[in-house]
Amino acid sequence: MSHKPRLTPMNEKVTLLSITTSQYLSEQISEAYGHELGQFRVARFSDGEMQPIIEESVRGEYVFIIGSTFQPSDNLMEMLLTIDAARRASAGYVCAVIPYFGYARQDRKDRPRVPISAKLIANLLEAAGVDRIMTLDFHADQIQGFFDIPVDHLQSQAIFIPYFKEQDMSNVIFASPDMGGVKRARAYAKYFERDMVICDKYRKRANEISGMTLIGDVTGADVILVDDLVDTAGTLCRAADLIMEKGALSVRAIATHPMLSGNAYENINNSQLTELIVSDTIPLRQKSDKIKVLGSADLFATAIRNTHDNASISALFVN
């Protein structure tokens, strides 16, 4: 897919817009940024068809459209239509700020006759006219290559590491709940100069684990599982059980995106996890004493400011 370069915005004004279901996070980002959200609403026809309406001029401006594309799929459609509305309103530069990028788990053909959905979503966003994508913790790093436009792939270490730096980490071992998360767990282990173990799982079908083994020794350790998202929480809870069986003192978990569908809350509350720490990219459906939410607004506000000022985004990464 070809993408024509856009003109540089004619003025320095910034407009922040929010997708409906991400209003809670957008308001925090706008407060951290020091700029009120733009005037925006979504009209609906009687059959549910939506029509995003930008109720102020954005001609020649930097427009940042904030919204996670979690289920239902209306969130993705609202994002696409709002990008189109901004482009047709002669916005100078349009950036889609997508804290949670939906369909990222479908990043390859892992069996015959299935779509590569993450690539399709990338094509749709570019076709809508977006100039830049900003997101947090893709499920797979290679999704950046699905785009022919700049992608700011922010890292959740900037959110979670300050939280752990205030705690005693001398007895901690980091763990990956599967082979795909080894890179994430290793980043934390390297930063805190701690050891790492791996839970190797096998699935017959989505959201159903057939078996799991532990690679490494956790005897007498306080273990922190590291993952990018938690859906039904089956993997995390199974990993926590296995780690405790192998002699760990306690198990906590980090998961950037709290999808928490199905029986997730029940699974977590009944598990051996003492704490699940998540970000606010997706709103919680219910409260749990075991779930702690850390804010991402400051990170996104700084990234938006750096984008507008043509400053470095990589400076926000924790090395």
Side-chain angles (χ1 to χ4, degrees):
M1 172 182 287
S2 62
H3 182 79
K4 296 181 180 179
R6 304 293 183 186
L7 297 176
T8 300
M10 297 174 62
N11 62 57
E12 296 299 314
K13 187 177 178 184
V14 171
T15 296
L16 305 178
L17 302 176
S18 175
I19 297 304
T20 303
T21 54
S22 292
Q23 186 79 20
Y24 72 100
L25 178 56
S26 300
E27 289 175 352
Q28 295 176 45
I29 292 173
S30 68
E31 182 178 352
Y33 186 79
H35 194 297
E36 292 185 359
L37 290 174
Q39 298 178 35
F40 173 82
R41 66 183 176 92
V42 178
R44 290 187 180 270
F45 294 91
S46 60
D47 65 347
E49 183 177 313
M50 68 181 69
Q51 182 186 51
I53 303 171
I54 302 172
E55 298 188 308
E56 61 182 88
S57 175
V58 294
R59 183 176 295 272
E61 297 179 6
Y62 286 84
V63 176
F64 293 87
I65 304 170
I66 305 167
S68 290
T69 55
F70 53 86
Q71 292 299 316
S73 56
D74 278 5
N75 290 321
L76 173 60
M77 182 59 70
E78 187 177 339
M79 171 63 76
L80 294 170
L81 293 176
T82 306
I83 292 169
D84 186 69
R87 182 58 63 200
R88 294 180 188 277
S90 300
Y93 194 87
V94 179
C95 176
V97 181
I98 308 176
Y100 168 69
F101 187 93
Y103 289 92
R105 287 177 288 183
Q106 301 179 52
D107 61 306
R108 65 194 184 283
K109 285 190 67 174
D110 56 355
R111 68 188 69 183
R113 298 174 296 280
V114 297
I116 303 179
S117 302
K119 172 58 176 171
L120 175 60
I121 301 305
N123 290 347
L124 290 171
L125 288 164
E126 290 192 40
V130 73
D131 294 295
R132 190 181 201 95
I133 299 293
M134 184 181 296
T135 190
L136 179 67
D137 277 5
F138 272 136
H139 186 63
D141 289 346
Q142 64 265 25
I143 294 175
Q144 297 175 75
F146 293 173
F147 291 90
D148 293 321
I149 56 175
V151 176
D152 295 321
H153 184 206
L154 306 180
Q155 299 174 357
S156 62
Q157 288 96 312
I159 299 171
F160 295 125
I161 283 180
Y163 173 75
F164 287 118
K165 285 175 71 174
E166 298 178 353
Q167 302 176 24
D168 181 8
M169 303 293 285
S170 60
N171 194 48
V172 165
I173 289 179
F174 288 94
S176 173
D178 53 36
M179 298 302 292
V182 170
K183 182 179 178 181
R184 283 185 291 271
R186 183 180 290 122
Y188 284 90
K190 180 180 178 181
Y191 184 89
F192 287 104
E193 299 181 340
R194 306 305 303 162
D195 291 334
M196 184 189 78
V197 298
I198 303 170
C199 298
D200 185 20
K201 69 181 179 183
Y202 170 74
R203 293 185 188 273
K204 286 185 178 179
R205 57 183 63 89
N207 297 127
E208 183 178 323
I209 302 172
S210 298
M212 180 178 286
T213 58
L214 182 66
I215 303 173
D217 183 17
V218 295
T219 305
D222 295 306
V223 179
I224 300 177
L225 285 156
V226 182
D227 212 345
D228 66 311
L229 61 85
V230 52
D231 191 353
T232 63
T235 296
L236 282 182
C237 294
R238 183 76 171 268
D241 290 342
L242 177 61
I243 288 169
M244 291 299 291
E245 288 173 8
K246 297 298 182 179
L249 293 180
S250 68
V251 185
R252 290 184 288 170
I254 305 168
T256 309
H257 307 296
M259 302 177 71
L260 299 176
S261 64
N263 296 324
Y265 287 92
E266 180 180 352
N267 291 339
I268 292 167
N269 290 333
N270 295 330
S271 74
Q272 298 195 64
L273 287 170
T274 58
E275 185 179 43
L276 171 62
I277 308 151
V278 299
S279 78
D280 56 357
T281 57
I282 301 175
L284 299 185
R285 292 185 290 109
Q286 64 186 69
K287 291 184 178 180
S288 169
D289 292 337
K290 286 191 175 184
I291 301 176
K292 182 178 182 62
V293 181
L294 302 182
S296 62
D298 289 342
L299 177 62
F300 279 108
T302 303
I304 290 172
R305 186 175 303 282
N306 286 10
T307 297
H308 176 249
D309 295 343
N310 290 318
S312 172
I313 296 294
S314 61
L316 302 179
F317 297 165
V318 177
N319 298 316

